[in-house]
Amino acid sequence: VVLAEVIKAFGAPENAQRMEEARDNACNDMGKMLQFLLPVATQIQQDVIKAYGFSNDGEGVLKFARLVKSYESQDPEIASMSGKLKAMFLPPMTLPPHGAGAGGVAAS
């Protein structure tokens, strides 16, 4: 229930706008993502989870994230919603091209 409410909060027009502005400021730079996007995402989550007994700070968000993580393997719906939530504020991870970064030496 809490996870669904957090996801819903990210979809609220004012929060979506805040996230979009933070994303624009970050310019796909991972360091800037941490500087601009993560604090906004944390604040949005805090606003929801404090009503469910989590502390209204970064530690409350971390406890919530750990709790969600602990249920992911037991409940496919929670795992799906958790992935959806992460996609809202974490940039998609791109893998390097196959064979790149191995020192140019192919394994035989």
Side-chain angles (χ1 to χ4, degrees):
V1 172
V2 182
L3 186 54
E5 283 204 30
V6 168
I7 291 169
K8 185 178 166 187
F10 274 93
E14 65 277 6
N15 289 336
Q17 182 179 350
R18 289 171 59 201
M19 289 293 289
E20 190 60 37
E21 288 171 6
R23 242 184 234 101
D24 289 348
N25 288 333
C27 303
N28 273 344
D29 177 290
M30 185 53 82
K32 289 182 179 181
M33 288 275 188
L34 293 172
Q35 183 182 357
F36 296 114
L37 198 61
L38 198 57
V40 174
T42 300
Q43 184 63 54
I44 292 169
Q45 291 179 73
Q46 284 173 345
D47 290 345
V48 174
I49 67 174
K50 67 184 179 190
Y52 293 93
F54 291 92
S55 58
N56 191 24
D57 57 15
E59 186 60 33
V61 173
L62 290 174
K63 285 181 180 176
F64 173 68
R66 285 192 291 265
L67 186 63
V68 169
K69 183 86 175 146
S70 73
Y71 286 108
E72 284 178 356
S73 62
Q74 301 168 29
D75 188 325
E77 186 178 358
I78 289 176
S80 173
M81 288 193 306
S82 176
K84 186 187 251 186
L85 176 61
K86 289 174 190 166
M88 291 177 178
F89 61 89
L90 293 176
M93 297 299 289
T94 53
L95 295 174
H98 183 67
V105 178
S108 54

